[in-house]
Amino acid sequence: MKLISTSAALLLGLSLTACSGSLSGDRTTAPVIALAETTPAATGEVAKVTWALPSGEPASLDPARTGDYSANTVGTNLCESLLRLGTDFSTAPGLAGAVVQKDPTTVVITVRDGVTFWDGTKLTADDVVYSLDRNRDPKTASYAAHVFTNVSSIDRTGDLEVTVRFRAPDMQFVPNLAGVPGAIMQKEYTRKAGQALGTATGGLMCTGPFKLASWQNGQRISLVRNDGYWDASRKARAAAFDFVFLTDSSTLTSALLSGEVDGVYGAPVGSIAALQRSDAGRLYFGPSTETYSLGAVAADGPAADPRIRRALDLAIDKTSFVTSVLKGAGTPLKTFTPPLAWQGSPAKAVYDAGYAALPDTAKADLEAAKKLVAEAAPSRADLVIALPAGEQSLLQTATIAQAAARQIGLNLTVKQLQPAEFSGLFYDPTLRRGIDLIATTGYLEVPGALYYAPGFVLPGAPFNWTGYDDAGVTRDLTAAVSETDPVKSAERFVAAQAVYGPAKLQITLAGSYNRLFLNKRITGAPASFSYISSSWAALVGKA
């Protein structure tokens, strides 16, 4: 996937012709979709912007408890990270003026001078140490705890210097600082807030371009501009930002078309045509790390056999999937780590070549799939696929998989679970009993090819549910994580990917483009998925 920038709204020279047809691959041409990294810059200020959260009300805005769309969409505009995430998933200095890999097991963070919290107090190295270290405290139960697995100590080594030392080298650690794992809060306020931190009653104390003004449970979260923001070039263009919770697609679409709501990330897939026709605003499509996959969750049974997983992968026509489920707003993927993850890497050419060399299974090949099933001779042909109830696109995904399985001699029963029960599958093996596969979406919130793979591939890793264990893959992937030279790390990653990719631990069907709708009165928001880890709302202003 080659991304070529142009001057008009950084429009990417990446467009594709989506296809439709049967699972066997009959196709008709669908409209071409052009991708944009961002939208035209704002020309002035606006009094207020109303923004929808289609995933609903966040449970918390505490960065340690931030791990989903809604919390990230709001929280990253409040609590900034040490590094900034670019629209192409590159990184730049943020609250850290510099982050230097001094040696394989030492990272030195230089805290930017002159930054203040909302209350006017100065950001210090102590705040940085405290914010990072609380992710390591089991009492915090941080969603980002895994990022700090290899960290042995985090110390203040100067007035504006923090040194992180590691038990073993960790190539992915520095890129992770561009996401919520690198978010910084005021130490004193955070300690006093206790368990209420990040809630409607406990609040936050951070450095971002917006301050938390109010939180009306069940209704809205209101932010106001931080007039004392340290970076004058990124001062918020909107005086106020209201986030409203609209989980019903029809209600959300109506609110966008009427102008009641000014914008949304994750515009409903089913409303793409209506939003494209609207005179109220414009629908943008951007590069994204979001993926749709079928994940094997059993260490025994048919789904634990890579031949069965490959057969299912070959039975599903992914170009048809993009058309029917994503309405053309996506592209087939070869593996679970999407190319945007490494677009900002100095080793991009190595990663691109490794991805290009992976088998292309975008088109269905039923004969090859049937041969794999016959070769595997599974002890049972009946499998169960689970998904969260109410997720229409995932229900479509499971239904497509069910039809494909039937064509190669497998019976796939669809089981819908309540969202909380489905989420539990990822962490509680007892809840996975009787389930072979899950239909799921995922995304990378920070750059780096090593963000996903170790968790799915290495023995004992939290998402290695099938018990996958390949000595060569383990050796190469471990070396990729430990290698501080970007090119050498990429070479070892590509070598591992060439082996585990075809094993289809995740049967990745497609990447979904980011979908951004903006009312015609506003502009400036990034169109790429980089919004998930950036203070994007500061850029939104008068069109």
Side-chain angles (χ1 to χ4, degrees):
M1 184 167 12
K2 185 175 182 180
L3 308 184
I4 306 172
S5 295
T6 68
S7 58
L10 292 183
L11 210 63
L12 298 179
L14 171 66
S15 55
L16 60 100
T17 303
C19 304
S20 63
S22 69
L23 290 173
S24 60
D26 295 329
R27 300 174 181 88
T28 57
T29 302
V32 170
I33 289 177
L35 301 188
E37 279 188 7
T38 190
T39 61
T43 61
E45 296 186 356
V46 293
K48 187 170 76 171
V49 172
T50 301
W51 202 268
L53 296 178
S55 295
E57 185 171 8
S60 173
L61 295 177
D62 174 1
R65 300 298 181 89
T66 299
D68 58 34
Y69 292 96
S70 290
N72 275 51
T73 302
V74 179
T76 52
N77 295 292
L78 300 168
C79 301
E80 298 176 283
S81 295
L82 291 166
L83 296 176
R84 279 178 173 166
L85 184 64
T87 55
D88 63 348
F89 263 56
S90 61
T91 62
L95 291 181
V99 179
V100 178
Q101 186 90 42
K102 186 177 179 181
D103 61 49
T105 57
T106 309
V107 167
V108 177
I109 300 167
T110 302
V111 182
R112 191 182 293 275
D113 196 9
V115 177
T116 59
F117 290 102
W118 301 327
D119 64 359
T121 59
K122 187 177 179 180
L123 170 67
T124 69
D126 287 333
D127 297 304
V128 173
V129 171
Y130 178 78
S131 296
L132 297 180
D133 231 2
R134 68 187 292 264
N135 289 291
R136 303 173 64 219
D137 185 350
K139 294 180 181 177
T140 305
S142 171
Y143 294 170
H146 67 282
V147 169
F148 298 83
T149 299
N150 292 325
V151 172
S152 60
S153 64
I154 304 174
D155 300 300
R156 177 183 180 274
T157 49
D159 290 342
L160 292 172
E161 183 180 276
V162 173
T163 299
V164 184
R165 293 183 174 86
F166 300 83
R167 300 182 187 87
D170 191 337
M171 182 68 172
Q172 185 61 40
F173 182 80
V174 171
N176 284 338
L177 298 181
V180 290
I184 305 302
M185 296 185 294
Q186 188 188 80
K187 176 181 178 180
E188 182 181 0
Y189 185 98
T190 302
R191 293 177 69 175
K192 288 182 178 178
Q195 292 298 312
L197 182 76
T199 68
T201 57
L204 297 160
M205 182 56 64
C206 296
T207 64
F210 284 97
K211 299 185 286 186
L212 180 61
S214 65
W215 186 339
Q216 297 171 268
N217 286 124
Q219 296 183 47
R220 68 185 61 235
I221 295 173
S222 298
L223 313 185
V224 294
R225 180 166 53 210
N226 173 18
D227 289 322
Y229 186 55
W230 61 272
D231 187 349
S233 68
R234 301 264 300 199
K235 184 178 178 181
R237 275 76 165 173
F241 231 91
D242 278 4
F243 291 92
V244 295
F245 320 130
L246 294 176
T247 57
D248 181 79
S249 295
S250 298
T251 303
L252 171 56
T253 302
S254 296
L256 292 169
L257 295 176
S258 69
E260 179 184 349
V261 168
D262 294 309
V264 68
Y265 282 114
V269 171
S271 301
I272 285 177
L275 294 174
Q276 285 179 316
R277 292 193 302 266
S278 173
D279 293 330
R282 180 175 172 184
L283 181 63
Y284 293 87
F285 298 95
S288 176
T289 61
E290 296 179 283
T291 59
Y292 277 75
S293 298
L294 307 177
V297 300
D300 53 23
D305 190 325
R307 293 169 296 186
I308 296 297
R309 298 195 298 268
R310 288 199 298 269
L312 279 171
D313 180 63
L314 286 169
I316 299 172
D317 191 302
K318 298 170 188 65
T319 52
S320 294
F321 176 87
V322 167
T323 298
S324 60
V325 177
L326 302 180
K327 310 305 179 188
T331 185
L333 285 180
K334 296 180 177 183
T335 184
F336 54 69
T337 301
L340 182 58
W342 58 73
Q343 291 308 298
S345 169
K348 175 181 179 299
V350 177
Y351 288 117
D352 282 345
Y355 183 82
L358 291 172
D360 186 352
T361 60
K363 298 178 181 179
D365 187 340
L366 293 178
E367 292 308 311
K370 290 175 182 177
K371 288 180 181 178
L372 283 168
V373 172
E375 180 184 326
S379 57
R380 56 183 171 86
D382 296 315
L383 292 85
V384 174
I385 183 168
L387 66 143
E391 290 285 348
Q392 188 60 33
S393 62
L394 289 179
L395 179 57
Q396 288 180 277
T397 300
T399 303
I400 287 173
Q402 185 181 50
R406 189 178 301 118
Q407 294 186 73
I408 59 174
L410 299 173
N411 300 314
L412 203 56
T413 298
V414 176
K415 183 176 184 179
Q416 298 191 54
L417 304 175
Q418 291 305 307
E421 187 180 3
F422 182 80
S423 296
L425 293 176
F426 290 80
Y427 306 102
D428 186 347
T430 63
L431 296 177
R432 297 196 290 268
R433 290 173 185 163
I435 296 173
D436 299 283
L437 300 159
I438 57 173
T440 186
T441 57
Y443 62 82
L444 281 73
E445 62 185 35
V446 295
L450 293 167
Y451 182 79
Y452 256 171
F456 285 98
V457 173
L458 295 180
F463 306 121
N464 184 357
W465 298 313
T466 65
Y468 180 80
D469 188 355
D470 183 287
V473 166
T474 299
R475 181 176 60 251
D476 282 328
L477 202 54
T478 302
V481 171
S482 300
E483 177 57 69
T484 56
D485 180 293
V487 172
K488 291 180 180 178
S489 176
E491 290 171 347
R492 298 303 292 266
F493 170 83
V494 165
Q497 182 183 247
V499 178
Y500 74 70
K504 299 297 176 183
L505 299 170
Q506 290 279 297
I507 303 170
T508 306
L509 305 179
S512 174
Y513 298 153
N514 193 39
R515 302 179 303 280
L516 163 69
F517 185 83
L518 290 178
N519 187 278
K520 61 186 177 183
R521 75 182 187 92
I522 60 171
T523 188
S528 87
F529 195 66
S530 62
Y531 85 88
I532 201 72
S533 292
S534 64
S535 52
W536 59 272
L539 304 173
V540 177
K542 183 180 179 181

